[in-house]
């Protein structure tokens, strides 16, 4: 009966739609109500090792997600509401994932001011892939599965599971009474000696979905799984009057545990060797708060863990000890144990001063390597540093690898190599304030002895070392060449000779050295390294004996198409040139994208078109790939193929509601700008454009955006910029010009590109209303808006987010988010002045909008937030105060405790409303809202938003 009614209903709807074409064709404008429900595919989609299943999550901007499971063979698609974070077992037997509480329920609890620890926890769902059976676990704390093996997982619960009460045996009542008396006596004895320890451990369960085998352990503080799935190690925290720590080893074959260690004291951190045969942990018997830890190792042929490092060890500097901060891990082969050590922790001295007797002062010394704000940002790391050591398991000796000079050492080949690479930036830290160069001296560290050898001095270019530790390759910006280093002999060789191309960014337009396009990797035969130029891939002989060879045969440069290697195996160490390589392609003129295969020197195109592609994920043991493709109008849905990318099936349907709304169309445009160069840009128009009407235009810009022609943009609350589709849907044209810069003239270059571009578009397209054009930008774009309104009255309104208004004061400012000085930005990077304030004073003034405030005639809306960590808040204030003093129409939105770009969704929604109202008033002639007309006094803050329009 139900199916019959459904069929009748569908027939009635179809007839109604046929008879009402105007209703069917009518589309709605996007408005703020669509934001929360507009969805996206979470980037963490996964594919099973055998390629049989794909799982992905579709997440709305606000609300409940859906997890999907797709059967590649049958095409069957299952879904679970509120699912997230999927993971397939390595054995292809199950899929595990989190399920969150309903968003509405969580919101209701937040309104009731429910404490964080009382909020609902995630559940764990485990799907048996063979039977479809689902196991659910509530009250989840966390879970994990072995990285490369096993058919089991482990999950930790928030609370102990209450045991069901057994039925009473009435025949044993008298015996029970006697036992109670004895228990009371014992209790009275214990009461005399009060309990002083309560475990903070949580329940841990090991579970095998295929057989339902499980093992429940209580009071667990830490656990770790062996990478190959052969074992797990568990730390239990038990005890009565004092903490007793236990280490257990879990055997997944028998689902049993063996106790390896049990001592009074505390264990912090535990790690397992990849093969599960060894574990290591830090243990301290100390009862003081400042505990000194010893390092214990359990391994081959050992009956119990043995202490290998304590404070008396010969390798430990005086008053040092092993520290629980930082790294504790085995090399992949298990022959080395890497750990951290530093000064022994000590109790804080007793505070003998009252708060009003203490001095609080920062000393800014010109010799400081880092300025005070940067020191504060790094305070936790610097005030109690630890450094890397290695314990050689077979030799049973300890070597210090890192110290104050070389703060960290990266040992190659997952710790198996005898060579580590380290960087010393100390000689260049002082100059970073203004140089914009992050240079380091590069060292080779012998893992067996700790001996270090200088490989490169003052290296800031691209560099890479082969996993076997034999070769290093680096780019030298001063001559635009690549060099190899024989790591053993420290011999350097030029290896890019004969290429006759630039390997550095050909479009670099900052007063800084251009960065290299990058190194793809070393070849499997150990003879070559693969690097990129702007378009092509090059094979460079590591010995330098032969000239550079263009693997893509110059086709990239010939066709203005970039070829980039796609790494399908995350465990891949080397590139096998004997096989077929997958390349991602992009044409930087027409913006088409796709894939090609490279076999030898032959390129075969797989696909190329007007869309954007995303690198595929490949199944570990099958030729099945999951990947995405989309464009400006079509969301990049998830696709699955059996090796042939052209024969892919779409398996997601992310935003079916989009068809109900007016969208935007996008076009690649070009024009000759005032600088005499050909510029490209993007023009977005309403889907329902009437060429006989006039449309207001807003120009949005930053630097260069035309490469994003085929990028999909969801309607979303603005963190700082106009949403292209939202504005197009509401009757605006959006123009996004590319800008090229010259040193010393960033403002003028913006003027030349943007103004000429807007005029060119208005001349070319009669539907653009040249009398109603506006501009909008954020950060660097905000600066350019602030500058443009001092140079032209072409625009009826401008919106500047977080603008620099005064380069002379900003030059000496701080990027409070990182603590860095802003000087490098002006001398070397984005602000592009190319010199100091005193050497190029006139350029700083010429490019500072505040000095030309009297020339501003354009109404200006600014946003500058009081916790901006990139552009100091006072930059917005300076411009606002200048324009206010001159009685110019200016408004500034300051979101409290907000960052450079808004982070709170409520604030983003608010900005979206106000920015649209601002442009609607000036470009469409709509009434002013109250907040613009009258303002919102501080006494009404939070009570009256001022959205109402003043008729």
């Amino acid at each position: 009966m139900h199916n019959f009614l459904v069929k009748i209903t569908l027939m009635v709807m179809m007839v109604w739609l046929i008879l009402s074409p105007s209703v069917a064709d009518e589309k709605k404008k996007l408005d703020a109500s669509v934001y929360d429900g507009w969805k996206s595919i979470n980037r963490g989609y996964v594919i099973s090792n055998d390629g049989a299943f794909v799982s992905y999550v579709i997440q709305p901007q606000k609300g409940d997600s859906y997890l999907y499971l797709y059967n590649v063979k049958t095409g069957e698609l299952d879904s679970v509401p509120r699912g997230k974070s999927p993971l397939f077992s390595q054995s292809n037997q199950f899929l595990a994932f989190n399920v969150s509480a309903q968003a509405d329920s969580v919101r209701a609890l937040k309104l009731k001011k429910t404490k964080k620890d009382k909020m609902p926890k995630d559940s764990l769902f485990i799907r048996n892939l063979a039977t479809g059976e689902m196991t659910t676990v509530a009250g989840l704390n966390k879970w994990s599965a072995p990285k490369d093996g096993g058919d089991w997982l482990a999950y930790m619960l928030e609370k102990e599971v209450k045991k069901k009460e057994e039925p009473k045996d009435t025949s044993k009542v008298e015996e029970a009474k006697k036992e109670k008396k004895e228990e009371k006596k014992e209790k009275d004895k214990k009461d005399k000696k009060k309990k002083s320890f309560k475990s903070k451990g949580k329940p841990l369960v090991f579970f095998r979905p295929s057989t339902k085998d499980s093992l429940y352990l209580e009071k667990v503080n830490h656990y770790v799984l062996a990478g190959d799935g052969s074992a797990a190690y568990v730390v239990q925290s038990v005890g009565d009057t004092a903490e007793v720590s236990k280490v257990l080893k879990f055997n997944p074959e028998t689902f049993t545990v063996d106790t390896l260690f049990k001592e009074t004291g505390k264990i912090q951190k535990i790690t397992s060797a990849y093969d599960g045969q060894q574990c290591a942990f830090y243990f301290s018997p100390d009862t003081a708060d400042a505990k000194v830890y010893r390092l214990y190792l359990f391994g081959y042929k050992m009956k119990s863990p043995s202490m290998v490092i304590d404070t008396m060890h010969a390798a430990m500097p005086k008053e040092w000890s092993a520290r629980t901060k930082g790294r504790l891990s085995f090399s992949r082969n298990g022959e080395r144990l890497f750990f951290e050590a530093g000064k022994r922790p000590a109790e804080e001295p007793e505070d003998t001063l009252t708060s009003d007797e203490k001095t609080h002062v920062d000393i800014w010394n010109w010799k400081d390597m880092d300025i005070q704000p940067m020191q504060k940002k790094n305070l936790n790391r610097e005030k109690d540093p630890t450094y890397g050591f290695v314990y050689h398991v077979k030799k049973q000796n300890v070597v210090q690898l890192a110290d104050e000079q070389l703060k960290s050492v990266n040992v190659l080949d997952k710790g198996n190599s005898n060579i580590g690479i380290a960087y010393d930036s100390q000689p260049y830290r002082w100059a970073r304030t203004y140089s914009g160069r992050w240079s380091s001296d590069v060292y080779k560290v012998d893992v067996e002895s700790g001996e270090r050898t200088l490989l490169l001095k003052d290296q800031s270019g691209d560099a890479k070392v082969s996993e076997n530790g034999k070769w290093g390759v680096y780019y030298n910006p001063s001559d635009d060449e690549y060099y190899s280093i024989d790591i053993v002999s420290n011999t350097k060789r030029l290896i890019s000779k004969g290429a006759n191309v630039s390997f550095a960014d050909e479009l670099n337009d900052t007063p800084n050295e251009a960065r290299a396009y990058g190194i793809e990797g070393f070849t499997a035969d150990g003879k070559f390294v693969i690097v990129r130029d702007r378009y092509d891939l090059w094979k460079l002989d590591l010995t330098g004996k032969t000239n550079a060879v263009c693997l893509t045969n110059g086709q990239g440069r010939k066709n203005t198409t970039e070829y980039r290697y796609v790494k399908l195996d995350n465990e891949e160490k080397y590139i096998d040139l004997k096989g077929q390589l997958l390349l991602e392609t992009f044409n930087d003129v027409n913006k088409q994208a796709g894939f090609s295969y490279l076999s030898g020197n032959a390129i075969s195109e797989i696909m190329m078109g007007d869309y954007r592609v995303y690198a595929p994920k490949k199944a570990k043991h099958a030729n099945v790939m999951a990947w995405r493709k989309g464009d400006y109008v079509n969301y990049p849905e998830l696709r699955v193929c059996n090796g042939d990318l052209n024969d892919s099936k779409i398996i997601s349907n992310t935003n079916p509601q989009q068809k109900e709304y007016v969208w935007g169309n996008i076009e690649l445009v070009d024009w000759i700008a005032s600088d005499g160069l050909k510029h490209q840009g993007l023009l977005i128009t309403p889907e329902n454009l009437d060429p006989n009407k006039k449309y207001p235009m807003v120009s949005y810009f930053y630097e260069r955006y035309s490469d994003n022609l085929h990028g999909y943009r969801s309607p979303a609350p603005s963190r700082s910029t106009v949403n292209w589709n939202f504005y197009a849907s509401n009757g605006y044209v959006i123009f996004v010009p590319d800008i090229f810069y010259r040193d010393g003239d960033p403002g003028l270059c913006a003027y030349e590109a943007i103004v000429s571009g807007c005029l060119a578009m208005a001349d070319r397209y009669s539907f653009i209303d040249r009398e109603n054009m506006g501009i909008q930008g954020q950060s660097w774009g905000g600066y350019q808006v602030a500058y443009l309104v001092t140079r032209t009255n072409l625009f009826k309104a401008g919106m500047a987010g977080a603008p620099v208004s005064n380069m002379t004061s900003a030059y000496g400012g701080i990027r409070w988010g990182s603590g860095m000085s802003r000087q490098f930005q002006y001398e070397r990077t984005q602000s592009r002045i190319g010199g100091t304030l005193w050497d190029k004073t006139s350029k700083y003034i010429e490019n500072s909008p505040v000095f030309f405030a009297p020339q501003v005639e354009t109404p200006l809306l600014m946003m500058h937030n009081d916790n901006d960590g990139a552009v100091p808040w006072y930059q917005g204030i300076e411009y606002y105060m200048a324009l206010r003093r001159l009685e110019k129409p200016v408004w500034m939105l300051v979101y409290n405790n907000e960052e450079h770009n808004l982070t709170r969704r409520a604030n983003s929604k608010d900005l979206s409303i106000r920015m649209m109202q601002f442009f609607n008033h000036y470009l469409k002639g709509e009434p002013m809202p109250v907040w613009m007309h009258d303002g919102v006094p501080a006494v009404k803050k939070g009570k009256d938003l001022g959205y109402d329009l003043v008729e």
Side-chain angles (χ1 to χ4, degrees):
M1 182 66 180
H2 172 74
N3 288 338
F4 176 76
L5 289 174
V6 170
K7 289 177 181 177
I8 292 293
T9 303
L10 288 172
M11 288 175 64
V12 170
M13 288 178 65
M14 288 174 67
V15 170
W16 180 78
L17 287 171
I18 291 169
L19 295 176
S20 308
S22 61
V23 175
D25 294 339
E26 187 70 25
K27 289 190 176 184
K28 298 174 286 187
K29 294 180 181 178
L30 292 167
D31 60 31
S33 68
V34 308
Y35 291 150
D36 291 351
W38 218 271
K39 297 176 285 292
S40 60
I41 296 175
N42 190 293
R43 285 181 290 182
Y45 56 88
V46 290
I47 184 167
S48 61
N49 284 345
D50 60 1
F53 292 93
V54 175
S55 183
Y56 60 94
V57 174
I58 291 183
Q59 177 73 51
Q61 293 178 30
K62 186 178 181 182
D64 296 322
S65 63
Y66 262 86
L67 179 140
Y68 293 87
L69 177 65
Y70 177 75
N71 187 314
V72 175
K73 186 175 181 180
T74 67
E76 184 180 348
L77 184 67
D78 289 340
S79 64
V80 179
R82 307 188 310 282
K84 62 181 183 180
S85 306
L87 180 71
F88 287 106
S89 68
Q90 292 296 307
S91 59
N92 306 305
Q93 292 185 356
F94 65 83
L95 172 73
F97 53 92
N98 291 51
V99 173
S100 301
Q102 285 185 319
D104 289 345
S105 301
V106 173
R107 183 177 183 276
L109 290 171
K110 287 181 177 179
L111 287 172
K112 293 179 181 179
K113 312 294 183 187
T114 304
K115 292 183 178 179
K116 188 176 180 180
D117 61 340
K118 301 294 183 184
M119 296 294 283
K121 310 303 179 191
D122 281 1
S123 295
L124 172 64
F125 278 40
I126 307 164
R127 164 86 172 244
N128 186 311
L129 295 175
T131 66
E133 183 181 4
M134 192 80 81
T135 301
T136 62
V137 179
L140 181 70
N141 176 272
K142 62 181 178 179
W143 67 276
S144 53
K147 182 177 181 292
D148 291 324
D151 58 355
W152 55 276
L153 53 75
Y155 58 84
M156 186 172 273
L157 302 172
E158 278 293 328
K159 296 179 180 178
E160 297 285 346
V161 177
K162 292 182 180 179
K163 295 179 181 178
K164 292 182 180 179
E165 193 174 326
E166 297 291 334
K168 293 181 179 178
D169 185 347
T170 54
S171 66
K172 297 184 178 180
V173 172
E174 290 301 319
E175 187 180 337
K177 285 182 178 178
K178 287 181 181 179
E179 287 180 359
K180 280 188 177 179
K181 284 184 180 179
E182 292 298 321
E183 286 175 4
K184 188 174 186 304
K185 286 181 182 179
E186 287 296 319
K187 185 177 182 299
D188 290 341
K189 286 180 183 178
K190 287 181 179 180
D191 283 345
K192 292 177 182 178
K193 189 176 181 181
K194 262 191 168 182
K195 292 183 179 181
S196 59
F197 174 73
K198 184 178 180 181
S199 175
K200 294 181 180 179
K202 297 181 183 296
L204 179 70
V205 180
F206 292 105
F207 180 64
R208 180 181 285 122
S210 60
T211 62
K212 296 293 184 69
D213 291 337
S214 67
L215 179 65
Y216 179 94
L217 301 171
E218 61 180 8
K219 299 178 180 178
V220 173
N221 273 357
H222 312 283
Y223 73 95
V224 62
L225 314 184
D228 67 355
S230 63
Y233 293 93
V234 178
V235 175
Q236 280 185 313
S237 173
V238 297
D240 190 2
T241 59
E243 182 172 14
V244 175
S245 293
K246 298 169 67 176
V247 175
L248 312 176
K249 182 178 182 179
F250 168 68
N251 184 336
E253 291 187 5
T254 61
F255 260 66
T256 58
V257 292
D258 294 322
T259 300
L260 306 178
F261 179 89
K262 182 179 179 181
E263 293 286 347
T264 299
K266 189 173 190 65
I267 289 177
Q268 284 282 29
K269 237 175 203 176
I270 187 166
T271 190
S272 169
Y274 179 81
D275 64 3
Q277 297 299 306
Q278 301 176 90
C279 80
F281 56 88
Y282 295 114
F283 171 74
S284 174
D286 298 349
T287 56
D289 290 337
K291 291 177 170 48
V292 176
Y293 284 88
R294 297 95 182 264
L295 180 60
Y296 281 72
L297 171 69
F298 171 78
Y300 306 102
K301 299 180 182 179
M302 295 174 68
K303 293 182 179 179
S304 62
S306 173
M307 184 179 69
V308 292
I309 300 292
D310 66 1
T311 58
M312 303 301 291
H313 196 285
M316 283 291 103
K318 188 178 180 182
E319 297 186 358
W320 278 36
S321 68
R323 299 292 302 277
T324 59
K325 292 174 63 176
R327 180 183 185 185
L328 179 64
S329 63
F330 286 92
S331 59
R332 182 62 173 263
N333 60 19
E335 295 179 3
R336 295 174 178 139
L337 175 61
F338 298 97
F339 67 96
E340 302 265 321
K343 286 187 178 179
R344 198 180 308 170
E347 297 287 346
E348 290 288 332
E350 183 181 353
D351 194 347
T352 60
L353 297 175
T354 63
S355 59
D356 60 334
E357 292 174 331
K358 295 176 182 177
T359 299
H360 300 277
V361 60
D362 299 329
I363 311 296
W364 295 51
N365 189 309
W366 73 279
K367 296 179 183 178
D368 288 343
M369 285 293 180
D370 296 322
I371 59 175
Q372 280 286 326
M374 205 167 176
Q375 291 182 43
K376 288 183 176 182
K377 285 291 178 181
N378 300 326
L379 191 61
N380 289 335
R381 185 182 68 200
E382 297 293 340
K383 71 178 180 181
D384 185 21
T386 59
Y387 303 104
F389 286 68
V390 59
Y391 177 77
H392 293 276
V393 175
K394 291 181 179 178
K395 296 180 180 178
Q396 297 185 358
N397 71 317
V398 175
V399 176
Q400 181 172 354
L401 300 178
D403 57 19
E404 193 171 353
Q405 179 196 11
L406 303 183
K407 296 183 184 297
S408 66
V409 177
N410 175 36
V411 181
L412 304 171
D413 194 20
K414 298 181 179 178
N416 294 341
S417 174
N418 288 332
I419 291 173
I421 300 297
Y423 299 87
D424 177 18
S425 63
Q426 286 287 107
Y428 315 103
R429 278 171 59 188
W430 193 90
R432 277 183 191 169
T433 318
Y434 57 85
S435 70
R437 293 181 79 247
W438 290 77
S439 292
S440 296
D441 295 337
V442 185
Y443 285 83
K444 172 183 72 174
V445 179
D446 188 310
V447 181
E448 294 291 329
S449 66
E451 181 182 349
R452 51 191 61 173
T453 305
L454 179 65
L455 296 176
L456 289 173
K457 201 161 182 61
D458 193 13
Q459 175 63 18
S460 63
D462 200 21
K464 195 177 184 72
V465 179
S466 61
E467 282 293 315
N468 61 15
K470 184 176 180 181
W471 293 100
V473 169
Y474 67 96
Y475 172 76
N476 185 357
S478 65
D479 62 5
D480 192 19
E481 299 282 8
Y482 273 101
Y483 293 80
S484 69
I485 308 176
D486 184 317
I487 299 295
V488 176
S489 67
N490 204 7
T491 304
K492 300 175 180 64
R493 299 177 176 91
L494 171 65
I495 59 173
S496 55
K497 61 186 178 184
N500 298 320
V501 295
S502 173
F503 290 105
D505 183 3
E506 294 180 16
L507 300 179
N508 176 55
D509 55 8
T510 67
N512 206 354
E513 58 191 29
R515 299 188 66 84
Y517 285 102
I519 301 169
E520 295 285 13
F522 293 87
T523 58
D525 59 12
K527 296 179 180 179
F528 304 95
V529 65
I530 309 301
V531 302
R532 305 188 293 265
D533 71 7
R534 182 177 177 181
Y535 298 108
D536 291 297
L537 298 177
W538 291 81
K539 182 176 73 171
L540 309 183
D541 179 0
L542 291 167
T543 66
K545 293 178 181 178
T546 60
N547 283 353
V549 174
C550 184
L551 284 176
T552 46
N553 209 26
Q555 291 300 303
R557 190 165 293 274
K558 179 182 177 181
N559 299 314
T560 63
T561 298
E562 299 172 10
Y563 290 105
R564 298 296 180 249
Y565 174 62
V566 178
K567 185 177 179 179
L568 293 174
D569 180 3
N570 289 330
E571 297 294 314
E572 176 186 274
K573 294 181 181 180
Y574 303 103
I575 300 172
D576 185 3
L577 293 181
K578 293 180 180 178
Q580 185 174 249
L581 305 185
L582 180 64
L583 306 181
E584 188 173 325
T585 57
F586 177 77
N587 186 294
D588 67 5
V589 176
N590 62 27
K591 316 304 179 186
Q592 290 187 342
F595 295 107
S596 291
Y597 281 126
L598 175 66
S599 299
N601 283 86
I603 298 174
S604 55
E605 184 179 288
I606 302 171
M607 63 177 66
M608 192 77 171
D610 292 321
Y611 39 73
R612 179 178 176 182
V613 296
Y614 299 75
K617 292 183 180 181
K618 181 184 173 297
K620 194 171 186 178
H621 304 306
N623 197 26
V624 176
M625 291 185 283
W627 64 292
R628 297 170 66 193
K629 182 178 81 169
D631 56 37
Y632 185 78
V633 174
N634 299 290
Y635 184 83
E637 301 292 359
L638 190 61
R639 300 157 187 261
V640 172
C641 69
N642 279 292
D644 184 357
L645 289 164
N646 278 315
D647 186 21
S648 295
K649 182 177 180 180
I650 297 174
I651 64 171
S652 63
N653 186 16
T654 308
N655 288 299
Q657 79 281 10
Q658 181 178 320
K659 63 180 178 293
E660 302 172 14
Y661 295 93
V662 176
W663 204 247
N665 290 322
I666 196 165
E667 178 185 353
L668 182 67
V669 294
D670 58 59
W671 72 101
I672 302 300
S674 305
D675 58 10
L677 301 175
K678 183 178 180 180
H679 289 238
Q680 288 185 310
L682 304 177
L683 192 73
I684 300 96
T685 55
E687 177 187 10
N688 57 358
L689 179 92
D690 182 345
N692 297 313
K693 290 184 178 180
K694 292 286 187 180
Y695 293 82
M697 185 175 81
V698 174
S699 181
Y700 167 77
F701 37 80
Y702 190 76
E703 291 188 347
R704 290 191 288 271
Y705 262 102
S706 63
D707 284 356
N708 294 300
L709 172 66
H710 299 302
Y712 181 90
R713 290 175 175 265
S714 296
S718 171
R719 295 181 62 207
S720 55
T721 63
V722 292
N723 185 283
W724 301 357
N725 276 323
F726 194 90
Y727 273 68
S729 183
N730 283 274
Y732 282 89
V733 172
I734 302 293
F735 173 53
V736 188
D738 285 352
I739 306 167
F740 303 130
Y741 299 94
R742 300 182 300 276
D743 293 355
D745 295 314
L748 177 60
C749 291
Y751 172 86
E752 291 171 346
I754 297 162
V755 172
S756 66
C758 288
L759 291 174
M761 294 306 106
D763 289 341
R764 190 176 305 171
Y765 301 100
S766 60
F767 55 79
I768 293 175
D769 185 353
R770 69 168 61 230
E771 301 301 320
N772 286 290
M773 296 195 296
I775 47 176
Q776 198 275 323
Q778 160 71 9
S779 190
W780 181 241
Y783 157 72
Q784 292 171 116
V785 170
Y787 177 89
L788 284 173
V789 296
T790 69
R791 291 293 306 268
T792 179
N793 296 326
L794 177 65
F795 306 107
K796 282 189 72 174
M799 191 281 171
V804 165
S805 64
N806 184 352
M807 288 193 178
T808 67
S809 59
Y811 174 79
I814 303 295
R815 292 181 65 94
W816 293 108
S818 63
M820 293 179 64
S821 163
R822 293 178 56 82
Q823 290 176 338
F824 76 93
Q825 286 184 241
Y826 299 90
E827 295 187 37
R828 293 294 181 185
T829 62
Q830 189 177 59
S831 297
R832 297 175 169 89
I833 299 300
T836 65
L837 177 60
W838 42 94
D839 286 336
K840 297 202 171 186
T841 308
S842 61
K843 287 296 182 182
Y844 279 86
I845 293 173
E846 287 171 17
N847 287 282
S848 295
V850 74
F851 291 104
F852 306 96
Q855 298 169 198
V856 176
E857 299 295 335
T858 307
L860 184 66
L861 171 65
M862 291 191 290
M863 176 190 77
H864 215 138
N865 306 320
D866 55 16
N867 194 39
D868 192 321
V871 179
W873 179 36
Y874 60 74
Q875 286 294 310
I877 295 174
E878 283 190 45
Y879 206 32
Y880 169 84
M881 294 306 298
L883 294 173
R884 182 181 184 275
R885 172 68 179 81
L886 292 161
E887 299 184 15
K888 308 285 186 179
V890 60
W891 297 261
M892 186 164 72
L893 305 174
V894 179
Y895 291 95
N896 302 145
N897 201 33
E898 269 283 22
E899 305 295 331
H900 187 59
N901 293 293
L902 296 174
T903 57
R904 295 187 65 246
R905 189 170 179 82
N907 290 340
S908 293
K909 287 184 174 181
D910 181 82
L911 174 62
S912 299
I913 291 169
R914 297 187 195 280
M915 189 155 51
M916 179 67 87
Q917 287 183 327
F918 174 76
F919 282 124
N920 281 350
H921 172 68
Y922 282 109
L923 303 186
K924 287 187 172 184
E926 294 185 6
M928 263 192 183
V930 169
W931 66 269
M932 288 177 64
H933 191 274
D934 302 319
V936 177
V939 293
K940 291 186 178 181
K941 179 180 176 180
K943 300 174 183 177
D944 182 0
L945 295 173
Y947 292 155
D948 292 340
L949 301 181
V950 179
E951 298 293 343

